[in-house]
Amino acid sequence: MRQLTTLLDQWLNRFNKVMDETIASGIPLTVPTVREGLAAITRELVTDIPDIALIENLTIKDKVPIRIYHPQPETALPVLVFFHGGGHMSGSVEVYDPICRKLAQHSQFIVVSVEYPLAPEHPYPAAIDDGYLVLQSLFQTLIRAELNFIPQLSIAGDSAGGAICATLARMAQFDDEVEIAKQVLIYPSLDYTLSFPSVNQNGMGYLLQQSRIEWYFSNYFQHNEDRRKASPVWGPYSMALPESLVITAEFCPLKDEGIAYVEALKKQGVETEHIHFEQMIHAFLNMENIVKKECELAYTTIGVFLNK
């Protein structure tokens, strides 16, 4: 028996009804409809959009577009690189603009939102390659743009963006040239094998359907890659991984893999915090108008974690 907050439950009932009618009518799942769906939900439900003193669009190595949010342009601040969610197939810097503004506002970090390439046009590992290029070259780009910053790099991402973050952190633990201070994973996708019980338990009726996840992954992995090897939850782990904050939600199909990742990090001796949102579903940051208290707590917790 599900126990969601009242407004979320009402919204989810309407959403599920529309989805059932769409499926019954035989309308196929397509890349454009998935992309517009996430954009529309975010546009409709995240309408409190704070002003940020400086917002600038740049490109890393003439290849990867980024958007920079600097809340105090006259002050040197540390840097948080953000990778948006969307199943590796949807989402964008523009869709996540209000969320990145809130991250900058609550953390007083320079937030750098990455326009990484999406599947199916750009399958695995294109987003990983471009994400690592950003980490390697970001400081030089900020210097050329004459922006005030402290050369301290942290990363954050939600859902598929969390998968990218954890993958980049896994790579950087063996690379002396890339140092990640902290990582923030928001209901992250960490297991491409879909082996954990919550995938089945929460995989129907809670926005993110198991069938949708499987479709995302089949578009992301197009060359018979070893999905277990690509999954951050299966390691390898070392104490060189960054201090981590992991956010999970009670009715999210990815909940168990997030918890397993927390336990693995702690076992390795990595400083790790875990905040679990009961009565919440996947992608609740994109639904702020109906879960305002929970979103405020999430942003505040992230800000405190990054600044401690």
Coordinates of all heavy atoms in Angstrom, one line a residue, residues 84-168:
H84 N 22.6 16.3 -15.6 CA 21.2 16.2 -15.5 C 20.7 14.8 -15.7 O 21.4 13.9 -16.3 CB 20.5 17.1 -16.5 CG 20.7 16.8 -17.9 ND1 20.1 15.7 -18.5 CD2 21.5 17.3 -18.9 CE1 20.4 15.6 -19.8 NE2 21.3 16.6 -20.0
G85 N 19.5 14.5 -15.2 CA 18.9 13.2 -15.4 C 18.1 13.1 -16.7 O 18.1 14.1 -17.5
G86 N 17.5 12.0 -16.9 CA 16.7 11.8 -18.1 C 16.9 10.4 -18.8 O 16.7 10.3 -20.0
G87 N 17.4 9.5 -18.1 CA 17.6 8.1 -18.6 C 18.6 8.0 -19.7 O 18.6 7.1 -20.6
H88 N 19.6 9.0 -19.8 CA 20.6 9.0 -20.8 C 20.0 9.4 -22.2 O 20.7 9.4 -23.2 CB 21.4 7.7 -21.0 CG 22.2 7.3 -19.8 ND1 23.2 8.1 -19.3 CD2 22.0 6.3 -18.9 CE1 23.7 7.5 -18.2 NE2 23.0 6.4 -18.0
M89 N 18.7 9.7 -22.2 CA 18.0 10.0 -23.5 C 17.3 11.3 -23.5 O 17.0 11.8 -24.6 CB 17.0 8.9 -23.8 CG 17.6 7.5 -24.0 SD 16.4 6.3 -24.5 CE 15.8 6.9 -26.0
S90 N 17.1 11.9 -22.4 CA 16.3 13.2 -22.4 C 16.9 14.1 -21.3 O 17.9 13.7 -20.7 CB 14.8 12.9 -22.0 OG 14.7 12.3 -20.8
G91 N 16.3 15.3 -21.1 CA 16.9 16.3 -20.3 C 17.9 17.1 -21.0 O 18.4 16.7 -22.1
S92 N 18.2 18.3 -20.5 CA 19.2 19.2 -21.1 C 19.5 20.3 -20.2 O 18.9 20.4 -19.1 CB 18.5 19.8 -22.4 OG 17.5 20.7 -22.0
V93 N 20.5 21.1 -20.5 CA 20.9 22.2 -19.7 C 19.7 23.2 -19.6 O 19.4 23.7 -18.5 CB 22.1 23.0 -20.4 CG1 22.2 24.4 -19.8 CG2 23.3 22.2 -20.2
E94 N 18.9 23.3 -20.6 CA 17.7 24.2 -20.6 C 16.6 23.7 -19.7 O 16.1 24.4 -18.9 CB 17.2 24.5 -22.0 CG 16.2 25.6 -22.1 CD 16.7 26.9 -21.6 OE1 17.9 27.3 -22.0 OE2 16.0 27.6 -20.9
V95 N 16.3 22.4 -19.8 CA 15.3 21.8 -19.0 C 15.7 21.9 -17.5 O 14.8 22.2 -16.6 CB 15.1 20.3 -19.3 CG1 14.2 19.6 -18.3 CG2 14.5 20.2 -20.7
Y96 N 16.9 21.7 -17.2 CA 17.4 21.7 -15.8 C 17.9 23.1 -15.3 O 18.4 23.2 -14.2 CB 18.5 20.7 -15.6 CG 17.9 19.3 -15.3 CD1 17.4 18.5 -16.2 CD2 18.0 18.8 -14.0 CE1 16.8 17.3 -16.0 CE2 17.4 17.6 -13.7 CZ 16.9 16.8 -14.7 OH 16.4 15.6 -14.4
D97 N 17.6 24.1 -16.1 CA 18.0 25.5 -15.7 C 17.5 25.9 -14.3 O 18.3 26.4 -13.5 CB 17.6 26.5 -16.7 CG 17.9 27.9 -16.4 OD1 19.1 28.3 -16.5 OD2 17.0 28.6 -15.9
P98 N 16.2 25.7 -14.0 CA 15.8 26.1 -12.7 C 16.4 25.3 -11.5 O 16.7 25.9 -10.4 CB 14.3 26.0 -12.7 CG 14.0 25.0 -13.8 CD 15.1 25.3 -14.8
I99 N 16.6 24.1 -11.8 CA 17.2 23.2 -10.7 C 18.7 23.6 -10.5 O 19.1 23.7 -9.3 CB 17.1 21.7 -11.1 CG1 15.7 21.3 -11.1 CG2 18.0 20.8 -10.3 CD1 15.4 19.9 -11.6
C100 N 19.4 24.0 -11.5 CA 20.8 24.4 -11.4 C 20.9 25.8 -10.7 O 21.8 26.0 -9.9 CB 21.5 24.5 -12.7 SG 21.9 22.8 -13.4
R101 N 19.9 26.6 -11.0 CA 19.8 27.9 -10.3 C 19.7 27.7 -8.8 O 20.3 28.4 -7.9 CB 18.7 28.8 -10.8 CG 18.9 29.3 -12.2 CD 17.6 29.9 -12.7 NE 17.7 30.4 -14.1 CZ 17.9 31.7 -14.4 NH1 17.9 32.6 -13.4 NH2 18.0 32.1 -15.7
K102 N 18.8 26.8 -8.4 CA 18.6 26.5 -7.0 C 19.8 25.9 -6.3 O 20.1 26.1 -5.2 CB 17.3 25.6 -6.8 CG 16.0 26.3 -7.2 CD 14.9 25.3 -7.3 CE 13.6 26.0 -7.8 NZ 13.1 27.0 -6.9
L103 N 20.5 25.0 -7.0 CA 21.7 24.4 -6.5 C 22.8 25.5 -6.2 O 23.4 25.5 -5.2 CB 22.3 23.4 -7.5 CG 21.6 22.1 -7.5 CD1 22.1 21.2 -8.7 CD2 21.7 21.3 -6.2
A104 N 22.9 26.5 -7.2 CA 23.8 27.6 -7.0 C 23.4 28.5 -5.8 O 24.2 28.9 -5.0 CB 23.9 28.4 -8.3
Q105 N 22.1 28.7 -5.7 CA 21.6 29.6 -4.7 C 21.8 29.0 -3.3 O 22.3 29.6 -2.4 CB 20.1 29.8 -4.9 CG 19.4 30.7 -3.9 CD 17.9 30.7 -4.1 OE1 17.3 29.6 -4.2 NE2 17.3 31.9 -4.2
H106 N 21.5 27.7 -3.2 CA 21.6 27.0 -1.8 C 23.0 26.7 -1.4 O 23.4 26.7 -0.2 CB 20.8 25.8 -1.8 CG 19.3 26.1 -1.7 ND1 18.5 26.5 -2.7 CD2 18.5 26.0 -0.6 CE1 17.3 26.6 -2.3 NE2 17.2 26.3 -1.0
S107 N 23.9 26.4 -2.4 CA 25.3 26.0 -2.1 C 26.3 27.2 -2.1 O 27.3 27.1 -1.4 CB 25.8 25.0 -3.1 OG 25.9 25.5 -4.4
Q108 N 25.9 28.3 -2.8 CA 26.9 29.3 -3.1 C 28.2 28.8 -3.7 O 29.3 29.2 -3.4 CB 27.2 30.1 -1.8 CG 26.0 31.0 -1.4 CD 25.5 32.0 -2.4 OE1 26.2 32.9 -2.8 NE2 24.3 31.8 -2.9
F109 N 28.0 27.8 -4.6 CA 29.0 27.2 -5.4 C 28.8 27.8 -6.9 O 27.7 28.1 -7.2 CB 29.0 25.7 -5.5 CG 29.8 25.0 -4.5 CD1 29.8 25.4 -3.1 CD2 30.7 24.0 -4.8 CE1 30.5 24.7 -2.2 CE2 31.5 23.3 -3.9 CZ 31.4 23.7 -2.5
I110 N 29.8 27.8 -7.7 CA 29.7 28.0 -9.1 C 29.2 26.6 -9.7 O 29.8 25.6 -9.6 CB 31.0 28.4 -9.8 CG1 31.5 29.7 -9.2 CG2 30.8 28.5 -11.3 CD1 33.0 29.9 -9.6
V111 N 28.0 26.6 -10.2 CA 27.4 25.4 -10.8 C 27.7 25.4 -12.3 O 27.4 26.4 -13.0 CB 25.9 25.3 -10.5 CG1 25.3 24.1 -11.2 CG2 25.7 25.1 -9.0
V112 N 28.2 24.3 -12.8 CA 28.5 24.2 -14.2 C 27.7 23.0 -14.7 O 27.9 21.8 -14.4 CB 30.0 23.9 -14.4 CG1 30.3 23.6 -15.9 CG2 30.9 25.0 -13.9
S113 N 26.6 23.3 -15.5 CA 25.7 22.4 -16.0 C 26.2 21.9 -17.4 O 26.5 22.7 -18.3 CB 24.3 23.0 -16.2 OG 23.4 22.0 -16.6
V114 N 26.3 20.6 -17.6 CA 26.9 20.0 -18.8 C 25.9 19.5 -19.8 O 25.0 18.7 -19.4 CB 27.9 18.8 -18.4 CG1 28.5 18.2 -19.6 CG2 28.9 19.3 -17.3
E115 N 26.0 19.9 -21.0 CA 25.2 19.5 -22.1 C 25.8 18.3 -22.8 O 26.4 18.3 -23.9 CB 25.0 20.6 -23.1 CG 23.8 20.4 -24.1 CD 22.5 20.6 -23.5 OE1 21.9 19.7 -22.9 OE2 22.0 21.8 -23.6
Y116 N 25.8 17.1 -22.1 CA 26.4 15.9 -22.6 C 25.6 15.3 -23.7 O 24.3 15.5 -23.7 CB 26.7 14.9 -21.4 CG 25.5 14.4 -20.7 CD1 24.7 13.3 -21.2 CD2 25.0 15.0 -19.5 CE1 23.6 12.9 -20.5 CE2 23.9 14.6 -18.8 CZ 23.2 13.5 -19.3 OH 22.1 13.0 -18.7
P117 N 26.1 14.5 -24.5 CA 25.4 13.9 -25.7 C 24.5 12.8 -25.2 O 24.8 12.0 -24.3 CB 26.5 13.4 -26.6 CG 27.7 13.1 -25.7 CD 27.6 14.2 -24.6
L118 N 23.3 12.7 -25.9 CA 22.2 11.8 -25.5 C 22.1 10.6 -26.4 O 22.4 10.8 -27.6 CB 20.9 12.5 -25.4 CG 20.8 13.7 -24.4 CD1 19.4 14.4 -24.6 CD2 21.0 13.2 -23.0
A119 N 21.7 9.5 -25.9 CA 21.3 8.3 -26.7 C 19.9 8.6 -27.2 O 19.2 9.4 -26.6 CB 21.4 7.1 -25.9
P120 N 19.5 8.0 -28.3 CA 20.2 6.9 -29.0 C 21.2 7.5 -30.1 O 22.0 6.7 -30.6 CB 19.1 6.2 -29.7 CG 18.0 7.2 -30.0 CD 18.1 8.1 -28.8
E121 N 21.2 8.8 -30.3 CA 22.1 9.4 -31.3 C 23.5 9.2 -30.9 O 24.4 9.0 -31.7 CB 21.8 10.9 -31.5 CG 20.4 11.2 -32.0 CD 19.4 11.4 -30.9 OE1 19.7 11.0 -29.7 OE2 18.4 12.1 -31.1
H122 N 23.8 9.2 -29.6 CA 25.2 9.1 -29.0 C 25.2 8.1 -27.9 O 25.0 8.5 -26.7 CB 25.6 10.5 -28.6 CG 25.5 11.6 -29.6 ND1 26.5 11.7 -30.6 CD2 24.6 12.6 -29.8 CE1 26.1 12.7 -31.4 NE2 25.0 13.3 -30.9
P123 N 25.3 6.9 -28.2 CA 25.2 5.8 -27.2 C 26.5 5.8 -26.3 O 27.5 6.5 -26.5 CB 25.1 4.5 -28.0 CG 25.8 4.8 -29.3 CD 25.5 6.3 -29.6
Y124 N 26.4 5.0 -25.3 CA 27.6 4.7 -24.4 C 28.8 4.4 -25.2 O 28.7 3.6 -26.1 CB 27.2 3.6 -23.4 CG 28.3 3.1 -22.5 CD1 28.5 3.7 -21.2 CD2 29.2 2.1 -22.9 CE1 29.5 3.3 -20.4 CE2 30.2 1.7 -22.0 CZ 30.3 2.3 -20.8 OH 31.3 1.9 -19.9
P125 N 30.0 5.0 -24.9 CA 30.3 5.8 -23.7 C 30.4 7.3 -24.0 O 31.2 8.0 -23.4 CB 31.6 5.2 -23.2 CG 32.3 4.9 -24.6 CD 31.2 4.5 -25.5
A126 N 29.7 7.8 -25.0 CA 29.9 9.2 -25.4 C 29.8 10.2 -24.3 O 30.6 11.1 -24.1 CB 29.0 9.5 -26.6
A127 N 28.7 10.0 -23.5 CA 28.5 11.0 -22.4 C 29.6 10.9 -21.3 O 30.0 11.9 -20.7 CB 27.1 10.7 -21.7
I128 N 30.1 9.7 -21.1 CA 31.2 9.5 -20.1 C 32.4 10.2 -20.6 O 33.1 10.9 -19.9 CB 31.4 8.0 -19.9 CG1 30.2 7.3 -19.4 CG2 32.6 7.8 -18.9 CD1 29.6 7.8 -18.1
D129 N 32.7 10.0 -21.9 CA 33.9 10.6 -22.5 C 33.9 12.1 -22.4 O 34.9 12.7 -22.0 CB 34.1 10.1 -24.0 CG 34.4 8.7 -24.1 OD1 34.8 8.0 -23.1 OD2 34.2 8.1 -25.2
D130 N 32.7 12.7 -22.8 CA 32.6 14.1 -22.7 C 32.6 14.6 -21.3 O 33.1 15.7 -21.0 CB 31.3 14.6 -23.5 CG 31.5 14.6 -25.0 OD1 32.5 14.1 -25.4 OD2 30.6 15.1 -25.7
G131 N 32.0 13.9 -20.4 CA 32.0 14.3 -19.0 C 33.4 14.3 -18.4 O 33.7 15.2 -17.7
Y132 N 34.2 13.3 -18.8 CA 35.5 13.3 -18.2 C 36.4 14.4 -18.8 O 37.2 15.0 -18.2 CB 36.2 12.0 -18.5 CG 37.2 11.6 -17.4 CD1 36.9 11.3 -16.1 CD2 38.6 11.6 -17.8 CE1 37.8 11.0 -15.2 CE2 39.6 11.3 -16.8 CZ 39.2 11.0 -15.5 OH 40.1 10.7 -14.5
L133 N 36.1 14.7 -20.1 CA 36.8 15.9 -20.7 C 36.5 17.2 -20.0 O 37.4 18.0 -19.8 CB 36.4 16.0 -22.2 CG 37.0 17.1 -23.0 CD1 38.5 17.0 -23.1 CD2 36.3 17.2 -24.4
V134 N 35.2 17.3 -19.6 CA 34.9 18.5 -18.8 C 35.7 18.6 -17.5 O 36.2 19.6 -17.2 CB 33.4 18.5 -18.5 CG1 33.0 19.6 -17.5 CG2 32.5 18.7 -19.8
L135 N 35.8 17.5 -16.8 CA 36.5 17.5 -15.5 C 38.0 17.8 -15.8 O 38.6 18.5 -15.0 CB 36.4 16.1 -14.8 CG 35.0 15.7 -14.5 CD1 35.0 14.4 -13.6 CD2 34.2 16.8 -13.8
Q136 N 38.5 17.3 -16.8 CA 40.0 17.5 -17.1 C 40.3 18.9 -17.6 O 41.4 19.5 -17.3 CB 40.4 16.6 -18.3 CG 40.4 15.1 -17.9 CD 40.7 14.2 -19.1 OE1 40.1 14.4 -20.1 NE2 41.6 13.2 -18.9
S137 N 39.3 19.6 -18.2 CA 39.6 20.9 -18.9 C 38.8 22.1 -18.3 O 39.0 23.2 -18.8 CB 39.3 20.7 -20.4 OG 40.0 19.6 -21.0
L138 N 38.0 21.9 -17.3 CA 37.1 22.9 -16.9 C 37.9 24.1 -16.3 O 37.6 25.3 -16.6 CB 36.2 22.4 -15.8 CG 35.2 23.4 -15.2 CD1 34.3 24.0 -16.3 CD2 34.4 22.8 -14.1
F139 N 38.9 23.9 -15.5 CA 39.6 25.0 -14.8 C 40.2 25.9 -15.9 O 40.2 27.1 -15.7 CB 40.6 24.5 -13.8 CG 40.0 23.9 -12.6 CD1 40.8 23.1 -11.7 CD2 38.7 24.2 -12.2 CE1 40.2 22.6 -10.6 CE2 38.1 23.6 -11.1 CZ 38.9 22.8 -10.2
Q140 N 40.8 25.3 -16.9 CA 41.4 26.1 -18.0 C 40.4 27.0 -18.7 O 40.6 28.2 -19.0 CB 42.2 25.3 -19.0 CG 43.3 24.4 -18.4 CD 42.8 23.0 -18.1 OE1 41.9 22.8 -17.2 NE2 43.4 22.0 -18.7
T141 N 39.2 26.4 -18.9 CA 38.1 27.1 -19.5 C 37.7 28.3 -18.6 O 37.4 29.4 -19.1 CB 36.9 26.2 -19.8 OG1 37.4 25.1 -20.6 CG2 35.8 26.9 -20.5
L142 N 37.6 28.1 -17.3 CA 37.1 29.2 -16.4 C 38.2 30.3 -16.3 O 37.8 31.5 -16.2 CB 36.9 28.6 -15.0 CG 35.8 27.6 -14.9 CD1 35.6 27.1 -13.5 CD2 34.4 28.1 -15.4
I143 N 39.5 29.9 -16.4 CA 40.5 30.9 -16.4 C 40.4 31.8 -17.7 O 40.5 33.0 -17.6 CB 41.9 30.2 -16.3 CG1 42.1 29.6 -14.9 CG2 43.0 31.2 -16.6 CD1 43.3 28.7 -14.8
R144 N 40.3 31.1 -18.8 CA 40.2 31.9 -20.1 C 38.9 32.8 -20.1 O 39.0 33.9 -20.7 CB 40.1 30.9 -21.3 CG 41.4 30.3 -21.6 CD 41.4 29.7 -23.0 NE 40.4 28.6 -23.1 CZ 40.8 27.3 -22.8 NH1 42.0 27.0 -22.4 NH2 39.9 26.4 -22.9
A145 N 37.9 32.4 -19.4 CA 36.7 33.2 -19.3 C 36.8 34.3 -18.2 O 35.8 35.1 -18.1 CB 35.5 32.4 -19.0
E146 N 37.9 34.3 -17.5 CA 38.2 35.3 -16.5 C 37.1 35.3 -15.4 O 36.7 36.4 -14.9 CB 38.3 36.7 -17.1 CG 39.5 36.8 -18.1 CD 39.7 38.2 -18.7 OE1 38.8 39.0 -18.5 OE2 40.7 38.4 -19.3
L147 N 36.7 34.1 -15.0 CA 35.7 34.0 -13.9 C 36.5 33.7 -12.6 O 37.5 33.1 -12.5 CB 34.8 32.8 -14.2 CG 33.9 33.0 -15.4 CD1 33.1 31.7 -15.7 CD2 32.9 34.2 -15.2
N148 N 35.9 34.3 -11.5 CA 36.5 34.1 -10.2 C 36.1 32.7 -9.7 O 34.9 32.4 -9.5 CB 36.0 35.1 -9.2 CG 36.6 36.5 -9.4 OD1 37.8 36.5 -9.6 ND2 35.9 37.6 -9.3
F149 N 37.0 31.9 -9.4 CA 36.7 30.5 -8.8 C 37.9 30.0 -8.0 O 39.0 30.4 -8.1 CB 36.4 29.5 -10.0 CG 37.6 29.1 -10.8 CD1 38.3 27.9 -10.5 CD2 38.1 29.9 -11.8 CE1 39.4 27.5 -11.2 CE2 39.2 29.5 -12.5 CZ 39.9 28.3 -12.2
I150 N 37.5 29.1 -7.1 CA 38.5 28.4 -6.3 C 38.7 27.0 -7.0 O 37.7 26.3 -7.3 CB 38.0 28.2 -4.8 CG1 37.8 29.5 -4.1 CG2 38.9 27.2 -4.0 CD1 37.1 29.4 -2.8
P151 N 39.9 26.6 -7.2 CA 40.1 25.3 -8.0 C 39.8 24.1 -7.1 O 40.7 23.3 -6.8 CB 41.6 25.4 -8.4 CG 42.2 26.3 -7.4 CD 41.1 27.3 -7.0
Q152 N 38.6 24.0 -6.7 CA 38.1 22.8 -6.0 C 36.9 22.3 -6.7 O 35.9 23.0 -6.9 CB 37.8 23.2 -4.5 CG 37.1 22.1 -3.7 CD 36.6 22.5 -2.4 OE1 37.3 23.2 -1.6 NE2 35.3 22.2 -2.1
L153 N 37.0 21.0 -7.1 CA 36.0 20.5 -8.0 C 35.1 19.4 -7.3 O 35.6 18.5 -6.7 CB 36.7 19.8 -9.2 CG 35.8 19.2 -10.3 CD1 35.0 20.3 -11.0 CD2 36.6 18.4 -11.3
S154 N 33.8 19.6 -7.3 CA 32.8 18.6 -6.9 C 31.9 18.3 -8.0 O 31.8 19.1 -9.0 CB 32.1 19.1 -5.6 OG 32.9 19.3 -4.5
I155 N 31.1 17.2 -7.9 CA 30.2 16.8 -9.0 C 28.9 16.4 -8.4 O 28.8 16.0 -7.2 CB 30.8 15.6 -9.8 CG1 31.1 14.4 -9.0 CG2 32.0 16.1 -10.6 CD1 31.5 13.2 -9.7
A156 N 27.8 16.6 -9.2 CA 26.5 16.2 -8.7 C 25.7 15.8 -9.9 O 25.9 16.2 -11.1 CB 25.8 17.4 -8.0
G157 N 24.7 15.0 -9.7 CA 23.8 14.6 -10.8 C 22.6 13.8 -10.2 O 22.7 13.2 -9.2
D158 N 21.5 13.8 -11.0 CA 20.3 13.1 -10.6 C 20.0 12.0 -11.6 O 20.3 12.2 -12.8 CB 19.1 14.0 -10.5 CG 18.6 14.6 -11.8 OD1 19.5 15.1 -12.6 OD2 17.4 14.5 -12.1
S159 N 19.6 10.8 -11.1 CA 19.2 9.7 -12.0 C 20.3 9.3 -12.9 O 21.4 8.9 -12.4 CB 17.9 10.1 -12.7 OG 17.3 9.0 -13.4
A160 N 20.1 9.4 -14.2 CA 21.2 9.1 -15.1 C 22.4 10.0 -14.9 O 23.6 9.5 -15.2 CB 20.7 9.1 -16.6
G161 N 22.2 11.2 -14.6 CA 23.3 12.1 -14.2 C 24.1 11.6 -13.0 O 25.3 11.8 -13.0
G162 N 23.4 11.0 -12.1 CA 24.1 10.4 -11.0 C 24.9 9.2 -11.4 O 26.0 9.0 -10.9
A163 N 24.4 8.4 -12.4 CA 25.2 7.3 -13.0 C 26.5 7.9 -13.6 O 27.6 7.3 -13.4 CB 24.4 6.6 -14.0
I164 N 26.4 9.0 -14.3 CA 27.6 9.6 -14.9 C 28.5 10.1 -13.9 O 29.7 9.8 -13.9 CB 27.1 10.8 -15.9 CG1 26.4 10.2 -17.1 CG2 28.4 11.6 -16.3 CD1 25.8 11.3 -17.9
C165 N 28.0 10.7 -12.8 CA 28.9 11.2 -11.7 C 29.7 10.0 -11.1 O 30.9 10.1 -10.9 CB 28.1 11.9 -10.7 SG 27.5 13.5 -11.1
A166 N 28.9 9.0 -10.7 CA 29.6 7.9 -10.0 C 30.6 7.2 -10.9 O 31.6 6.7 -10.5 CB 28.5 6.9 -9.6
T167 N 30.3 7.1 -12.2 CA 31.2 6.5 -13.2 C 32.5 7.4 -13.3 O 33.6 6.9 -13.3 CB 30.6 6.4 -14.6 OG1 29.4 5.6 -14.4 CG2 31.5 5.8 -15.6
L168 N 32.3 8.7 -13.4 CA 33.5 9.6 -13.5 C 34.3 9.5 -12.2 O 35.6 9.6 -12.3 CB 33.0 11.0 -13.7 CG 32.3 11.3 -15.1 CD1 31.9 12.7 -15.2 CD2 33.1 10.9 -16.3

